[in-house]
Amino acid sequence: MKYLVTIVLFFIGFGNGFAQSGLIPQPVAYHRNSGEFTLTALAKLSSDSGVPAALLKLTQEQIRSLTGFTLPVSSTNASISLKIDSLKVSQPEGYHLRIQPKSIELIGHDQAGLFYGVQSLVQLISQSSDLRLPACSIKDYPRFSYRGMHLDVSRHWFRVPFIKKYIDLLAQYKFNTFHWHLTDDQGWRIEIKRYPQLQETAAFRSQTLIGHKRELPHRFDGKKYGGYYTQDEVREVVRYAAQRHITIIPEIEMPGHALAALSAFPALGCTGGPYQAATFWGIFDDVYCAGNDSTFTFLQHVLDEVVELFPSKYIHIGGDECPKTRWKSCPKCQARMKHEGLKDEHELQSYFIQRMEKYLLTKNREIIGWDEILEGGLSPGATVMSWRGTEGGIEAMRQKHKAIMTPEMFVYFDFYQSLYPQEQVAAAWYTPLSKVYSYEPVPDSLTQEEASYLLGVQGNVWSEYLSTDAKAEYMIFPRALAVAEIAWSPKTGRTYTDFLRRLRKNESLLKRLKVNYAKVFDEITDTVLVTAPGKIQLRLKTTLPQATIRYTTDGSEPQATSSIYTSALPIPKTQTIRAAVFQGKVQQGRVFEKSFTISKSTGKPLLLATAPKGNFIPSSSLVAVNGVQGTARYNTGEWLGFLGENAEWRLDLQKTETVSVISINVLKYHWQRFWEPTALHMLVSEDGKNYREVYQHKDFPINGINEIKGQFQPTRARFVKIKAENKGIVPAGEYGAGNKAWLLMDELIVN
Ligand code: ACM
Ligand code: ZN
């Protein structure tokens, strides 16, 4: 038997070169060789002359933090050697790492490559409980030259020790860029010596929203909030990052997201103020006045100091979410448009960005802007950060502009990573680890030449709901590790399953570094299936190996003795399924819960006269009759959303029944452009031709889910029709005014 096990291991080890590596990101090539290197306090480090002392010291420090001993540096008898050789290792940022029973040899193409080799070595050390490192040879280099993570420090701000810890973690996973979002409506976070008012006023807001912004009426904590990084702190962070081969790209937002700056300099806004730094989250109409030359002077003076602090080739100047409301009625902005021959406010925004680009070019810097900078014409040398999807990036590359992919549906970490209701409050959508990992940054639709403008990929961390370091870490990790792998590792030869295996090996390092990472990636996920009219099933899944799912159907807590899930569960009646993952008798993670309401409508054919749109396209219209109701979190895939159009649903009960209650839910969140219908009609028919209205509803008072229940005299019906009249266009004064309103409905229940 032992013989057989050895053979199996042999095949895993050699049959698949990757199978034994615990590294994230997965290296380009990994080969396990026989034997092990045992790391002890007697090992010595040597380095050639090209290796900077700082890198050697950092290497010693990283190894010490894991092993407890500081390896001495010695030119003789050193078992661990560090070298730089751009001929032996031809790819920039690349390295070769060879671990043999008596030696470890690490060669970098450049200092960065050597540093990344050290990071791989450190990960391997962290994964060996007895410091016996498997002999192996690794050849590695990055897929993309831009591997970024972002952090918004305006909505909540994070002190220098946290920023350094973040940088350490980014470096460990071979990111090379930190995008520091330093200014926004809710606070200005960088010291600008020329303008002390930024520190005194713009860095603070009077109070902060409590809970999610969808909860109305808004509640506030009444506490002044704020702070900023001094220039000394910024310099220290930039130096710290550079040592770890991380470039920091600062973002100074313009022309929108500027309320905090305007609170200190009201003359720079179109109306002249007064303004207050925002106390809640969203997009605000008050932006920098583009007609006022003082705006440009101010921003140029700010950038003068910013470029002195940050040596990065790129400066990010924002450009996103700038409402044109004020510009439309501002005499100065209108005069500017006339004088410059600009045909609309989008061109005015383009003028704004181009003017700033020209200024930064005099300082030898290039600009990055969010994809809105395409509107009204792209600034000549601008790099586009594609966030609203991938279209902006694609368009930029077609125009021969550089692009960085950061599409919100894949790499925004303010979105939920679990659908469990216990999750900490998050922005909106559902982006589990698996979805992040599935993202492929190179769009299919581009030619090779066009795609050569793609610099890389970045994960974004907006901090509206990240009021503590722990909350931020929870949202960032481990999803950032998926971005690290997408950004570094070749597209082929890696799988999500193997990534998870390596992630589990990386947990020891994350724990050592005291990272409050989310351990939810193996939690139960589910699919609700309509298998036949009237018949639904619940399918459950966990990615945890050697685990069983146990469940109950009576609402009780699952135990180690509860039924074992083996195949999809039929749901014949209204009930709640609770389930948990067990390894042996030990429950792993939280309890999954799903409630079903089964009625005459469940699983029956449903026709939609108009098509759902955007993020509210269900996997099938049957989602509206699958027994599961959409929740206030609206990200579960249950809501059907109609954009600017009426909804008309026709349900076929498939036989004539006696019907007396029809219910349906409507989700109303004006802040998200989800509007109640102006009227909702319920109709029934026996023949599918002649319909009779049995109920009509016009009152939707609840901010959130409005449960509409039409009760009427029992009547014979085979067909049920729901007609809901969309609000159409969002009215003036409301969020998203002038745009189409969403109408969200789910779960048609008939009894
Ligand atoms: C963004 O998320 N507004 C760039
Ligand atoms: Zn103006």
Side-chain angles (χ1 to χ4, degrees):
M1 193 58 206
K2 189 153 187 217
Y3 179 68
L4 189 66
V5 168
T6 312
I7 295 211
V8 169
L9 287 178
F10 179 86
F11 274 103
I12 293 171
F14 293 84
N16 175 348
F18 299 125
Q20 295 296 304
S21 156
L23 294 173
I24 293 176
Q26 173 159 279
V28 172
Y30 173 92
H31 289 283
R32 173 78 167 91
N33 302 322
S34 57
E36 284 161 339
F37 176 94
T38 303
L39 182 62
T40 70
L42 299 175
K44 293 175 191 165
L45 276 174
S46 74
S47 65
D48 71 14
S49 57
V51 179
L55 175 50
L56 207 54
K57 196 150 166 254
L58 203 58
T59 305
Q60 283 176 304
E61 176 48 30
Q62 282 193 286
I63 293 175
R64 190 205 54 77
S65 75
L66 290 175
T67 63
F69 44 78
T70 305
L71 300 180
V73 178
S74 164
S75 53
T76 55
N77 291 328
S79 50
I80 304 176
S81 72
L82 309 185
K83 294 183 189 132
I84 291 177
D85 187 335
S86 59
L87 297 175
K88 275 211 177 112
V89 182
S90 58
Q91 298 87 355
E93 301 185 278
Y95 67 93
H96 293 176
L97 171 62
R98 194 169 154 94
I99 301 179
Q100 294 178 289
K102 297 263 179 272
S103 69
I104 295 178
E105 186 187 39
L106 186 46
I107 309 173
H109 170 87
D110 43 21
Q111 290 183 23
L114 187 58
F115 177 76
Y116 294 131
V118 172
Q119 301 320 301
S120 291
L121 179 61
V122 164
Q123 249 184 65
L124 293 174
I125 294 172
S126 77
Q127 292 169 10
S128 61
S129 53
D130 52 4
L131 300 185
R132 280 159 36 165
L133 309 180
C136 64
S137 56
I138 296 174
K139 292 191 171 170
D140 204 11
Y141 54 88
R143 182 177 179 202
F144 293 109
S145 65
Y146 185 107
R147 305 178 301 279
M149 283 296 298
H150 149 285
L151 184 65
D152 164 16
V153 295
S154 173
R155 277 55 178 263
H156 283 100
W157 84 290
F158 300 89
R159 307 302 198 274
V160 169
F162 178 86
I163 301 294
K164 286 186 169 177
K165 181 179 178 185
Y166 190 35
I167 287 168
D168 283 340
L169 284 158
L170 298 189
Q172 172 54 240
Y173 292 100
K174 304 188 175 79
F175 285 97
N176 64 359
T177 310
F178 168 41
H179 169 175
W180 207 357
H181 183 84
L182 288 162
T183 74
D184 213 300
D185 297 303
Q186 293 81 3
W188 182 284
R189 304 272 173 250
I190 177 169
E191 180 186 24
I192 300 297
K193 297 209 186 269
R194 190 182 178 111
Y195 298 119
Q197 301 95 314
L198 289 173
Q199 285 71 257
E200 286 152 17
T201 304
F204 295 91
R205 59 176 178 258
S206 60
Q207 55 183 354
T208 303
L209 182 73
I210 297 172
H212 197 282
K213 73 172 173 183
R214 69 173 171 236
E215 293 158 17
L216 294 179
H218 282 160
R219 291 173 303 131
F220 294 90
D221 65 4
K223 291 184 201 141
K224 184 174 174 181
Y225 180 94
Y228 60 92
Y229 305 104
T230 64
Q231 293 201 350
D232 283 343
E233 286 175 322
V234 169
R235 266 188 287 271
E236 166 59 14
V237 170
V238 168
R239 182 201 63 79
Y240 189 87
Q243 265 190 1
R244 288 152 184 81
H245 294 275
I246 289 193
T247 300
I248 303 186
I249 297 180
E251 179 179 353
I252 305 295
E253 266 270 23
M254 60 189 82
H257 286 298
L259 260 181
L262 294 182
S263 73
F265 295 98
L268 304 183
C270 291
T271 64
Y275 305 105
Q276 300 290 323
T279 55
F280 64 102
W281 328 122
I283 299 173
F284 301 91
D285 283 340
D286 287 302
V287 302
Y288 290 114
C289 176
N292 185 348
D293 279 329
S294 316
T295 297
F296 295 95
T297 313
F298 166 79
L299 288 169
Q300 287 170 6
H301 285 150
V302 166
L303 290 173
D304 287 345
E305 296 189 30
V306 168
V307 298
E308 285 301 315
L309 293 166
F310 295 93
S312 58
K313 168 174 165 185
Y314 298 103
I315 303 291
H316 201 306
I317 59 170
D320 61 316
E321 299 179 325
C322 178
K324 309 299 186 287
T325 318
R326 295 288 180 263
W327 291 359
K328 283 190 174 137
S329 55
C330 169
K332 285 186 195 161
C333 286
Q334 292 302 314
R336 171 88 69 200
M337 285 167 61
K338 201 161 167 214
H339 184 254
E340 299 289 337
L342 307 171
K343 78 169 192 298
D344 61 16
E345 286 74 18
H346 291 299
E347 290 196 356
L348 183 58
Q349 155 135 347
S350 177
Y351 165 87
F352 197 116
I353 299 291
Q354 293 199 30
R355 189 160 160 177
M356 297 314 298
E357 178 186 34
K358 271 197 203 119
Y359 186 73
L360 281 167
L361 281 174
T362 68
K363 312 248 160 201
N364 250 331
R365 307 304 177 95
E366 294 183 25
I367 61 162
I368 300 179
W370 300 107
D371 57 50
E372 286 94 331
I373 65 168
L374 281 150
E375 295 162 9
L378 204 44
S379 205
T383 297
V384 171
M385 202 167 252
S386 191
W387 74 277
R388 291 179 294 181
T390 54
E391 297 76 15
I394 291 171
E395 179 53 31
M397 289 187 269
R398 291 210 166 115
Q399 294 185 29
K400 300 191 189 302
H401 281 253
K402 291 178 281 190
I404 297 157
M405 287 302 197
T406 171
E408 58 176 344
M409 285 300 161
F410 289 93
V411 290
Y412 265 40
F413 298 157
D414 51 336
F415 293 178
Y416 286 97
Q417 58 196 312
S418 158
L419 292 175
Y420 281 43
Q422 307 93 320
E423 282 296 287
Q424 69 186 42
V425 172
W429 305 106
Y430 174 49
T431 307
L433 183 64
S434 57
K435 183 165 180 182
V436 179
Y437 194 83
S438 74
Y439 179 57
E440 164 51 34
V442 180
D444 295 336
S445 57
L446 294 184
T447 64
Q448 217 174 350
E449 143 77 11
E450 287 165 344
S452 70
Y453 289 93
L454 179 61
L455 298 181
V457 57
Q458 174 173 294
N460 287 349
V461 185
W462 300 101
S463 62
E464 284 88 340
Y465 300 107
L466 307 182
S467 53
T468 64
D469 294 356
K471 285 184 183 178
E473 289 177 7
Y474 182 84
M475 298 304 269
I476 299 170
F477 298 100
R479 288 187 289 187
L481 274 58
V483 176
E485 183 144 316
I486 297 165
W488 178 281
S489 308
K491 180 181 172 182
T492 53
R494 58 180 174 86
T495 64
Y496 181 60
T497 307
D498 191 58
F499 171 76
L500 285 182
R501 181 188 63 75
R502 287 177 284 116
L503 173 55
R504 292 185 197 100
K505 284 185 163 258
N506 268 268
E507 287 186 80
S508 58
L509 186 58
L510 293 173
K511 281 179 190 149
R512 256 180 213 269
L513 299 172
K514 298 194 166 47
V515 181
N516 181 40
Y517 67 98
K519 301 174 190 70
V520 302
F521 45 86
D522 286 323
E523 277 185 345
I524 295 172
T525 52
D526 73 290
T527 316
V528 178
L529 306 160
V530 177
T531 53
K535 295 231 179 318
I536 58 171
Q537 292 185 350
L538 174 65
R539 189 180 283 161
L540 302 176
K541 193 179 144 196
T542 173
T543 46
L544 189 68
Q546 277 109 41
T548 46
I549 295 175
R550 293 176 182 270
Y551 69 95
T552 65
T553 57
D554 60 0
S556 64
E557 195 82 356
Q559 310 285 338
T561 50
S562 300
S563 305
I564 293 181
Y565 173 89
T566 51
S567 59
L569 303 175
I571 309 291
K573 60 177 204 291
T574 295
Q575 61 186 296
T576 297
I577 303 292
R578 304 187 80 204
V581 176
F582 287 83
Q583 278 182 319
K585 294 207 176 321
V586 184
Q587 184 183 322
Q588 303 291 341
R590 305 177 293 192
V591 174
F592 166 90
E593 186 175 313
K594 193 118 194 167
S595 293
F596 293 86
T597 307
I598 305 301
S599 78
K600 291 188 165 84
S601 67
T602 308
K604 298 290 167 60
L606 181 70
L607 276 176
L608 309 177
T610 45
K613 295 272 158 63
N615 292 317
F616 301 102
I617 302 174
S619 52
S620 142
S621 67
L622 293 171
V623 163
V625 285
N626 66 356
V628 182
Q629 305 193 26
T631 70
R633 282 244 305 257
Y634 71 79
N635 57 359
T636 58
E638 288 293 333
W639 293 100
L640 280 63
F642 301 86
L643 185 58
E645 290 183 308
N646 296 339
E648 184 176 317
W649 298 7
R650 195 197 72 163
L651 177 76
D652 181 358
L653 296 170
Q654 295 192 309
K655 62 174 196 272
T656 302
E657 305 234 33
T658 301
V659 171
S660 61
V661 185
I662 301 173
S663 36
I664 192 159
N665 294 344
V666 167
L667 182 60
K668 169 178 151 185
Y669 280 145
H670 290 179
W671 63 275
Q672 192 76 347
R673 274 168 55 202
F674 303 167
W675 280 74
E676 66 281 19
T678 48
L680 180 80
H681 307 268
M682 297 175 173
L683 306 92
V684 297
S685 165
E686 275 193 82
D687 60 7
K689 294 192 186 87
N690 302 298
Y691 281 87
R692 189 163 62 78
E693 182 164 302
V694 288
Y695 187 76
Q696 195 193 116
H697 198 92
K698 290 196 164 163
D699 186 27
F700 302 84
I702 295 167
N703 170 57
I705 297 176
N706 288 261
E707 299 178 10
I708 310 308
K709 191 167 183 180
Q711 273 178 301
F712 41 90
Q713 285 300 317
T715 183
R716 300 289 288 166
R718 175 172 163 176
F719 298 94
V720 172
K721 203 176 256 189
I722 302 291
K723 285 185 173 182
E725 293 162 24
N726 195 307
K727 179 80 179 170
I729 298 294
V730 175
E734 298 283 354
Y735 172 74
N739 291 295
K740 289 178 181 169
W742 284 101
L743 165 62
L744 263 58
M745 301 199 298
D746 181 41
E747 210 50 22
L748 174 56
I749 298 170
V750 177
N751 277 309

